[in-house]
Amino acid sequence: MEVEVKLRLKGGDDHRKACDLFGAGGSHKAKYHQENQFFDGSEQELSSQRVVLRVRFYNVAEKCVVTVKGKAVLKNGIGKASEVEEAVDPALGRSFVENPQLMLESDVGVLKDTFGKFGVKGLKGLGGFKNVRDVYSWKGLDVEVDETKYDWGTVFEIECETDEPERIKDDLEATLKQEGVAYEYSKVTKFQNFINKTLE
């Protein structure tokens, strides 16, 4: 189960302030240009069960991760979802984007398990979006500051995975308020914005 604090930044200025805030003292760990591609069964076998299948590329071809998320719940700035991930060769991931049916023939464990569980017999690509993620070390945790780029606009967000979401959310909010960074609780996931063509 993945548990994250998810805070929506008001705009580009607040995104820059957040990057400066968390980057103070040399705590910037990584910058990832992510490409996210999504898939469903040809008969909606996954989406009908609120399951999300994603192939994510990092910095074009630095690495690639296949992720299956189930029944995400996002409330009061805290997101929870079951999650299984498996790293694959970026060239293999790219072949999945070009021909989704190749997933059915692959030996990737997370795919075989998911397709067997939900009876997936065919696959279709849904498209995707890009995200620029800056990762900072903060109080022993990774704080991710995102700039998510859809064809219809851009959304800015902070995410932090933690076993203590309420406490960390309070700490994050206090830190942002002190530095004048405008935010609100995220109401929908990035994937929901993508599917609904919204910027919520």
Side-chain angles (χ1 to χ4, degrees):
M1 177 71 69
E2 180 189 49
V3 181
E4 290 182 312
V5 177
K6 299 170 78 73
L7 303 176
R8 166 78 181 273
L9 297 169
K10 292 287 189 178
D13 287 343
D14 297 293
H15 174 269
R16 284 187 288 275
K17 287 180 184 178
C19 288
D20 289 343
L21 167 62
F22 292 111
S27 60
H28 186 261
K29 294 179 64 176
K31 188 181 194 77
Y32 298 117
H33 291 266
Q34 301 174 337
E35 177 190 345
N36 301 280
Q37 296 287 336
F38 298 90
F39 305 85
D40 196 3
S42 54
E43 302 297 327
Q44 288 77 51
E45 294 95 334
L46 300 180
S47 59
S48 65
Q49 300 298 315
R50 293 174 56 201
V51 172
V52 176
L53 171 57
R54 180 186 71 205
V55 176
R56 171 178 285 172
F57 300 90
Y58 293 76
N59 298 335
V60 183
E62 184 178 305
K63 67 175 180 177
C64 178
V65 178
V66 176
T67 302
V68 176
K69 291 193 176 190
K71 296 185 177 179
V73 176
L74 180 55
K75 185 177 180 181
N76 296 327
I78 296 174
K80 299 179 180 180
S82 63
E83 180 179 86
V84 183
E85 294 186 323
E86 187 169 339
V88 301
D89 186 281
L92 179 62
R94 188 59 62 187
S95 74
F96 293 159
V97 175
E98 295 170 355
N99 181 5
Q101 300 306 320
L102 293 177
M103 290 187 181
L104 294 169
E105 306 164 10
S106 80
D107 292 325
V108 178
V110 65
L111 293 177
K112 294 174 71 173
D113 292 347
T114 299
F115 299 156
K117 180 177 180 180
F118 295 102
V120 176
K121 299 294 191 293
L123 285 159
K124 59 182 179 182
L126 303 177
F129 57 84
K130 293 184 178 180
N131 185 59
V132 180
R133 170 165 289 175
D134 286 282
V135 184
Y136 302 92
S137 179
W138 178 77
K139 296 188 176 183
L141 298 169
D142 284 347
V143 170
E144 300 164 343
V145 183
D146 290 342
E147 179 182 3
T148 306
K149 301 176 180 179
Y150 304 101
D151 289 343
W152 49 93
T154 302
V155 172
F156 304 96
E157 191 174 36
I158 291 174
E159 296 184 349
C160 183
E161 188 171 348
T162 173
D163 295 330
E164 301 179 274
E166 293 292 350
R167 182 179 69 81
I168 295 303
K169 184 178 74 169
D170 288 346
D171 286 354
L172 270 174
E173 288 192 74
T175 300
L176 295 175
K177 287 176 180 175
Q178 183 176 348
E179 298 300 324
V181 180
Y183 71 92
E184 62 185 10
Y185 295 155
S186 297
K187 298 181 178 66
V188 301
T189 65
K190 292 180 177 68
F191 177 71
Q192 287 171 317
N193 267 328
F194 167 67
I195 288 297
N196 296 329
K197 291 184 167 54
T198 54
L199 295 171
E200 296 182 17

